[in-house]
Amino acid sequence: MAPKILCVAEKPAIAKSVAGHLSGGQFTTRAVNGNQYVKNYEFNFPFRGPWANSTVVMTSVIGHLTGLEFDIRFKNWQSCRPIELFDGRITEEVASDKQAIAANITQQARYSKALFIWTDCDREGEHIGSEVRNAALKGNPRLEVKRAKFSNTERAHIINAAHHPVDLNERVVSAVACRMELDLRLGASFTRFQTLNLQPLDQSLEGKVLSYGSCQFPTLGFVVDRYFRVRNFVPEKFWTLQVMHTRDDINVTFLWDRHRLFDRAITTILFERCLLAKKAKITKLEKKPTSKWRPLPLTTVELQKLGSMFLGMDSQKVMKIAEDLYTQGWISYPRTETDQFDKGIDLQRLVGKQTQDTRWGQYSQNLLDGAFRQPRAGRNNDQAHPPIHPVNYVASHALRPDEARVYEFITRRFLGCCSEDARGESTNVSLAWGPESFHASGLLVLQRNYLDVYTYDRWQSSQQLPNFLVGEEFEPMEAKMSDGETSPPGYLTEPELIALMDANGIGTDATMAEHIAKIKDREYVMTQPRSGARTATATRDGNTGRGRGRGGRGGRGGAHANGDERGRGGTQEFIPSTLGVALIMGYEAALSQASNPRTVQGSTNTTTPHTPQSTLSSPALTSGASTAQTSPLSSGSITSLAKPFLRKELEIKLKDICEGRKGKREVVDEVLEQYREVFILANRRVDDLKGAVRRYVSGVT
């Protein structure tokens, strides 16, 4: 009798896709009692080794099969003090809505020789695989357990994964188990602490759970920090000089090498010295080749940032669509930190699948005809998945509109990676006028190359400079002295927030979108369409002439976004609610050093009390700050819950578990002790937290 192999995927759609590939489309489908979504697919497949010519049952879970729960004694919020949850007994239990799925795995394992786990090949998938294993071993303790390593659902890739199974990575399983335990203990203890203490203070908080998360709060902290920097910004006046000249019917503007000065008198003196010199002289002329580099292969973080920037979707929506495209077999696994393609991947074969498209098909053919270039290699490789790329072609009309847009972006990015850099020629001219130096630049794009397919980048020729000669002198046709004011940074956009989270180790590429969604769902922040006015430099233009005009450029402190402005209409910026500000500012006050207590404001800046209609109101602040950009969150204290230090340290320790340098229990104990100190201090100074809620949420001084 042929041996029976039980295969379990992480999602029903993946189970069906894998079953289709392994069976050649010839399988029998059976329903699973108690769950309408999970099916059992039965077929034969020639595994290698001892499982040759096996009978296979392919089924699935739906995400995590189990979860951690506190013992019954700790479940009632009034049954214990929140700090007791740091040490309260917890158990791992099958979720109530997953009982039928677990029972199906246990039942099928009884008649199986081996278990093949087909969960996603990331940390979370490894732990889900261990949950599947535990359920299967209940039915058959002698079961041999293997896992399939795969990064897309293309047929050849799936068959190769079936032929080359590996063992579960127990270190990764331990790291996820560590994170899950800490998330439960810390989340429950701080959530109960702040909910029980703050909920009675304002009617708008009645019935509201004020949740805490060790990733959630630093994410909120970034938003609050930028909010205060914007609202407390004090503009500074500056002055600058410009020289204009016309040659060969081309108007050229020479910009001041000093850029600008913040002293009007000195600028005026320098300008008058230039005017006395009358003639200006070309001191340097340089023409040289230049390039705009093609993009790096696509990572999850970049997909989330650029999806928000160019497609007008929030990161959670982008990732949901990417997951669906992966499940349908159109793209590779969308959760990856890798920005370099393995040299063993046949990229030209993947390019060839795109030749049938009416928009980029001819470009793809040109790559195959000799224009193909091996993609640039970034610095990151998670050793698990390749960069995100299309694995099969699908016409846009076969997808939902938003799916088509995400697929198009991923495909164009991939084709751009396989292209030549854009080529051009830059011209730089230096001008001396009296004691001052000026410059002008020009760009001529000669070969667009990757820009023809990756339309999200922009690199355009500027007006060409006339043929100046080194040493030639001329009397400028126009000059002006302009004034302006520095502008504040913009409120945080989602791409900027994701970049901050990534740089500071808050969450993983797979969870950042979830943390952002959480602070929105909890009404700690709100979003609004980004206004371009805030990022533009405030200037005033007046009369111009040979003498003195009014105008200016630049803007110190302005958070100018890089890149193309197309697609920005959907970019949202984050504004903290009064509740979000109160939580961050309250903890900052409570956790500051007792020897140097902070006020609720956290700085010398003043606040204007404001009574909001709800916790979604935005706190009203004056701009009477003592410096150009100030934030009350400038403290570098490692005990701050608004700063990333504690969570970043945890992520480092989780990596240590994955690499065998630490054990799960060691890390759990270390981290709990760190947060226990924070909790005790916050509890001791809970009046600071309450004061922040009264001030920001209730508007009581």
Side-chain angles (χ1 to χ4, degrees), residues 83-88 178 181-182 185-186 189-190 591 638-639 641 646 649-650 653 664-682 684:
I83 196 171
E84 293 181 54
L85 299 177
F86 276 78
D87 304 301
C178 174
E181 179 175 345
L182 290 170
R185 293 189 183 281
L186 300 177
S189 56
F190 278 95
L591 299 177
I638 198 169
T639 60
L641 296 181
L646 285 172
E649 188 174 336
L650 170 57
K653 291 178 178 179
K664 173 199 166 187
R665 194 71 255 158
E666 177 186 2
V667 171
V668 168
D669 291 342
E670 287 177 359
V671 174
L672 285 180
E673 282 311 302
Q674 284 181 308
Y675 277 92
R676 196 192 308 270
E677 292 179 12
V678 174
F679 186 94
I680 291 171
L681 182 57
R684 185 181 303 147

Side-chain angles (χ1 to χ4, degrees), residues 22 40 65 81-82 99 163 165 206 209 221 259 287 298 328 414 443 455 473-474 483 488 515 522 526 694 700:
L22 296 183
N40 291 343
L65 197 58
R81 294 176 300 146
Q99 295 284 351
H163 284 157
E206 186 176 344
V209 175
H259 185 36
K287 287 190 176 184
L298 187 61
Q328 296 170 49
F414 170 68
L443 171 67
T455 54
E473 296 184 350
F474 57 84
D483 70 344
H515 300 315
R522 295 300 186 190
M526 51 190 170
R694 292 190 182 99
V700 178

Side-chain angles (χ1 to χ4, degrees), residues 594-612:
S595 59
N596 184 27
R598 281 176 158 187
T599 63
V600 170
Q601 298 96 305
S603 73
T604 57
N605 304 326
T606 59
T607 62
T608 301
H610 177 62
T611 304

Side-chain angles (χ1 to χ4, degrees), residues 219-264:
T219 302
L220 174 60
F222 289 134
V223 176
V224 173
D225 178 75
R226 179 64 68 88
Y227 176 80
F228 275 91
R229 291 184 186 278
V230 173
R231 297 304 297 265
N232 293 340
F233 183 87
V234 176
E236 295 181 79
K237 198 165 186 177
F238 63 80
W239 289 263
T240 189
L241 304 180
Q242 289 182 340
V243 177
M244 284 70 74
H245 191 69
T246 301
R247 167 75 65 82
D248 301 331
D249 295 325
I250 299 175
N251 298 320
V252 182
T253 298
F254 292 88
L255 305 178
W256 198 15
D257 283 357
R258 295 181 188 268
H259 185 36
R260 61 193 174 188
L261 293 178
F262 291 87
D263 189 305
R264 182 178 184 276

Side-chain angles (χ1 to χ4, degrees), residues 24 43 98 138 152 176 340 404 461 489 552 556 561 593 625 636 667 670 674:
F43 54 91
K98 305 292 178 66
K138 288 181 180 178
N152 65 69
V176 176
Q340 50 187 256
S461 297
R556 189 173 72 176
Q593 295 182 4
V667 171
E670 287 177 359
Q674 284 181 308

Side-chain angles (χ1 to χ4, degrees), residues 412-426:
R412 288 184 179 275
R413 173 77 172 220
F414 170 68
L415 295 174
C417 290
C418 298
S419 304
E420 184 65 76
D421 297 338
R423 306 292 183 186
E425 181 183 75
S426 65

Side-chain angles (χ1 to χ4, degrees), residues 522-579:
R522 295 300 186 190
E523 298 185 340
Y524 295 163
V525 301
M526 51 190 170
T527 60
Q528 64 183 27
R530 180 157 207 179
S531 169
R534 190 174 294 104
T535 58
T537 302
T539 61
R540 295 192 300 273
D541 292 327
N543 298 323
T544 61
R546 179 170 173 78
R548 184 176 306 164
R550 305 289 285 177
R553 57 181 294 278
R556 189 173 72 176
H560 300 279
N562 295 322
D564 188 359
E565 290 297 323
R566 289 172 294 173
R568 296 286 179 90
T571 301
Q572 301 286 304
E573 57 187 12
F574 291 91
I575 311 293
S577 66
T578 51
L579 176 58

